[in-house]
Amino acid sequence: MSFDISLLSLVRPLEERKSNSSMEHYSTSTMLSEVTNIQEKDIALEEDGKIVGWVSYHDLVKAVVDRWKRTLSYYNTLLGSVDDAITVIDENGVIQSWNQKSEEMYGFTAANVKGKKITSFFETESVVLMSTINDRKGVIKQYNQPKPDVHVLINTSPIIVDDEVIGGISVERNITEIVKLNDELSSTAASLHELERNVQNEQSLSPFSKIKGRSPVLQDALHLVKKVSKTDATVLITGESGVGKELFAEAIHKASNRSDAPFVAINCGAIPTALIESDLFGYDQGAFTGAVKGGKKGKFDAAKGGTIFLDEIGEMPLEVQVKLLRVLQEKQYYRVGGTNPLPTDVRIIAATHRDLERMIEEGSFREDLFYRLNVISIFVPPLKERKEDIPELIQLFLQEFSIKYKTPIPEIDPEVMYMFLQHPWQGNVRQLRNIIERLIISADENVRIEPKHLPQNFVKQLLPTIELNETSIPPTLENDNEIVHALKLTYGNKTAAAKLLGISRATLYNRMKNFK
């Protein structure tokens, strides 16, 4: 229902009015909220210059009280139903409303805070609502830290009546766990990279040792990576999800003259839009309400002298893209709320699975930033284009997860190897790794992995591919090179090679007898 009503709904016939006292005059289209000058008088309703009825002062007051009760009921129900903390203050900063989510988030009951100034419970600089009232301007999804251990995204609006600010309202969403998780992940990732670097130094491993595969397309990509590693050029790594773009970024860093400095990775698609700028560049004290005293360093500070890896760069908001462009152009940046430029000595490597050129056409990615990032472009080929690497990757993952779960390394049935080689692998190396881990966990000890152990959805995805390939398999082999190639693909597994070639195992053995 509407919170407002028409005066016409309260009208009485003129003949019922016995008093001769004067009345206030309004048109029949007037709403209750439009009666701005309520006096202790009845109201005459006019239409086309004629009085058609009247509203008694008693009925007017009764209607106002009824609307107020109904509005209050809606208001209180709304406060209790919203899954965010809601605070309402008057123009002096006195708390008028404080819902249950606010109680849970801040530990103050409504009974304790209502009627008291909000600055009695929060530092003045942490109260966005006060600046909203003073500036007559709200904020949308602004990051705020009202308490040292509480992080929120806040929306605020001034409450205005007749062009006068009478208060303000804030709606705060708790993102404390997201912020803490992001900090923990960043810290853990940094520790892991440092540990890997130390292990690599001790074992004298190649910086590229984690990139497995001997396929020509992969080797071409690695050749370019090795050349780029010796420079400080900005690199853009492209490729489908799951191909291992971060491995390439790590390899570039480890093989560079920055290898002793930090490698800091940040996923631009995993951080809330309101946090990404301060996460990258940090912020100065007083940069925004709730800013930690003394400010906070960002990822560019943490990566000083080293490399910062911006994964999923296509997910970066346009307003942050502008700031990143400045870093690439001027080799300096500003912290959020800061006025002093800070020089940066950081190599930038970006990666994406998205078509940035199409995003430029759509207006969701800056063209100037694209060309700044795309100094050197490295395409990591999908697994479907380097299927000869699949057997090696399978053996690698079998060893990894057998050690992890303390089980013997199982044997792979030739039929399974054949199915792996024919699969489209939409999820690429990540999908293959996950499949092997699942097989290690689900298979019984000392039982080789057979087709029955494969997930149903894996087999469903495979069937159309197998049917298509088998119809195109030649009935005879033109030369022995095809057999040699098939044996290389299957790491010498003759049953899988025969299946791949579309011939029987006996035919394969007969052809192999003729090898010189």
Side-chain angles (χ1 to χ4, degrees), residues 154-397:
I154 183 171
N155 295 343
T156 68
S157 295
I159 302 173
I160 300 175
V161 175
D162 296 333
D163 201 38
E164 179 184 352
V165 176
I166 64 167
I169 183 169
S170 71
V171 181
E172 300 171 67
R173 174 151 296 178
N174 194 340
I175 58 168
T176 301
E177 292 306 315
I178 295 176
V179 173
K180 288 182 178 179
L181 179 60
N182 180 59
D183 289 343
E184 289 174 5
L185 286 175
S186 298
S187 176
T188 302
S191 299
L192 285 174
H193 288 307
E194 179 65 17
L195 181 60
E196 288 178 358
R197 187 176 66 83
N198 293 337
V199 170
Q200 179 181 313
N201 290 338
E202 291 176 5
Q203 298 180 354
S204 299
L205 296 176
S206 164
F208 310 99
S209 60
K210 292 175 69 175
I211 302 175
K212 303 296 183 181
R214 296 176 291 180
S215 60
V217 288
L218 183 68
Q219 290 303 312
D220 287 345
L222 270 175
H223 177 69
L224 181 55
V225 165
K226 290 175 182 178
K227 292 181 66 176
V228 169
S229 299
K230 301 173 183 178
T231 74
D232 253 356
T234 303
V235 179
L236 178 63
I237 304 174
T238 61
E240 297 177 6
S241 293
V243 293
K245 295 187 286 293
E246 185 166 353
L247 287 181
F248 276 72
E250 288 182 24
I252 292 172
H253 171 73
K254 291 175 182 176
S256 72
N257 57 8
R258 296 176 177 268
S259 59
D260 290 334
F263 175 83
V264 177
I266 180 170
N267 188 320
C268 300
I271 302 174
T273 302
L275 293 180
I276 189 167
E277 183 180 354
S278 61
D279 199 52
L280 281 173
F281 307 116
Y283 56 79
D284 278 350
Q285 180 173 334
F288 48 81
T289 52
V292 173
K293 289 185 176 179
K296 183 179 179 181
K297 293 183 177 181
K299 294 295 191 295
F300 272 87
D301 288 287
K304 187 176 182 181
T307 303
I308 188 164
F309 174 53
L310 301 174
D311 198 6
E312 299 301 347
I313 189 70
E315 309 302 323
M316 180 176 284
L318 280 169
E319 58 268 26
V320 183
Q321 291 179 29
V322 177
K323 307 292 178 65
L324 180 60
L325 179 64
R326 180 192 298 157
V327 175
L328 288 164
Q329 290 175 332
E330 303 174 6
K331 301 300 180 184
Q332 62 184 23
Y333 64 96
Y334 293 83
R335 289 181 180 164
V336 177
T339 56
N340 297 320
L342 301 175
T344 179
D345 176 24
V346 173
R347 183 183 195 171
I348 295 177
I349 301 177
T352 183
H353 72 281
R354 302 185 64 179
D355 186 342
L356 295 185
E357 293 186 71
R358 176 176 293 181
M359 291 180 67
I360 291 171
E361 294 176 1
E362 296 169 350
S364 55
F365 200 85
R366 292 183 62 96
E367 185 175 16
D368 45 7
L369 177 59
F370 172 73
Y371 290 119
R372 283 284 180 175
L373 292 172
N374 197 32
V375 176
I376 300 293
S377 180
I378 297 174
F379 174 70
V380 183
L383 195 54
K384 63 187 176 186
E385 294 182 9
R386 55 184 188 105
K387 291 192 174 182
E388 54 265 63
D389 292 336
I390 289 176
E392 180 181 356
L393 291 170
I394 289 173
Q395 294 303 318
L396 175 70
F397 297 144

Side-chain angles (χ1 to χ4, degrees), residues 13-262:
L14 276 175
E15 55 266 25
E16 291 185 8
R17 188 171 190 271
K18 299 185 170 69
S19 172
N20 293 321
S21 59
S22 63
M23 295 188 289
E24 295 288 324
H25 288 249
Y26 289 91
S27 71
T28 54
S29 62
T30 305
M31 303 299 290
L32 181 62
S33 62
E34 294 174 331
V35 180
T36 57
N37 186 25
I38 298 180
Q39 300 182 26
E40 198 170 343
K41 290 182 180 182
D42 296 334
I43 291 177
L45 293 185
E46 295 181 347
E47 187 172 7
D48 297 331
K50 296 181 180 180
I51 298 177
V52 297
W54 67 290
V55 177
S56 71
Y57 175 74
H58 175 270
D59 288 346
L60 183 68
V61 172
K62 183 179 178 182
V64 170
V65 173
D66 178 67
R67 291 299 100 182
W68 175 79
K69 287 182 178 179
R70 288 173 179 267
T71 302
L72 185 61
S73 180
Y74 275 92
Y75 173 74
N76 288 331
T77 302
L78 178 64
L79 289 182
S81 302
V82 176
D83 197 30
D84 293 315
I86 297 180
T87 305
V88 181
I89 62 174
D90 65 15
E91 66 273 22
N92 297 314
V94 176
I95 297 174
Q96 303 298 315
S97 294
W98 183 265
N99 72 345
Q100 184 176 345
K101 284 297 178 180
S102 295
E103 292 182 337
E104 295 172 3
M105 189 182 298
Y106 296 115
F108 305 128
T109 66
N112 287 337
V113 302
K114 286 179 70 173
K116 299 176 183 176
K117 284 200 170 187
I118 194 169
T119 50
S120 300
F121 305 94
F122 302 92
E123 293 185 9
T124 303
E125 64 178 16
S126 299
V127 184
V128 180
L129 263 179
M130 295 307 299
S131 58
T132 293
I133 291 174
N134 295 333
D135 300 338
R136 299 172 64 95
K137 184 179 179 181
V139 300
I140 299 294
K141 291 184 179 179
Q142 177 179 303
Y143 169 68
N144 190 33
Q145 192 175 351
K147 290 282 188 181
D149 57 344
V150 178
H151 304 263
V152 301
L153 288 182
I154 183 171
N155 295 343
T156 68
S157 295
I159 302 173
I160 300 175
V161 175
D162 296 333
D163 201 38
E164 179 184 352
V165 176
I166 64 167
I169 183 169
S170 71
V171 181
E172 300 171 67
R173 174 151 296 178
N174 194 340
I175 58 168
T176 301
E177 292 306 315
I178 295 176
V179 173
K180 288 182 178 179
L181 179 60
N182 180 59
D183 289 343
E184 289 174 5
L185 286 175
S186 298
S187 176
T188 302
S191 299
L192 285 174
H193 288 307
E194 179 65 17
L195 181 60
E196 288 178 358
R197 187 176 66 83
N198 293 337
V199 170
Q200 179 181 313
N201 290 338
E202 291 176 5
Q203 298 180 354
S204 299
L205 296 176
S206 164
F208 310 99
S209 60
K210 292 175 69 175
I211 302 175
K212 303 296 183 181
R214 296 176 291 180
S215 60
V217 288
L218 183 68
Q219 290 303 312
D220 287 345
L222 270 175
H223 177 69
L224 181 55
V225 165
K226 290 175 182 178
K227 292 181 66 176
V228 169
S229 299
K230 301 173 183 178
T231 74
D232 253 356
T234 303
V235 179
L236 178 63
I237 304 174
T238 61
E240 297 177 6
S241 293
V243 293
K245 295 187 286 293
E246 185 166 353
L247 287 181
F248 276 72
E250 288 182 24
I252 292 172
H253 171 73
K254 291 175 182 176
S256 72
N257 57 8
R258 296 176 177 268
S259 59
D260 290 334

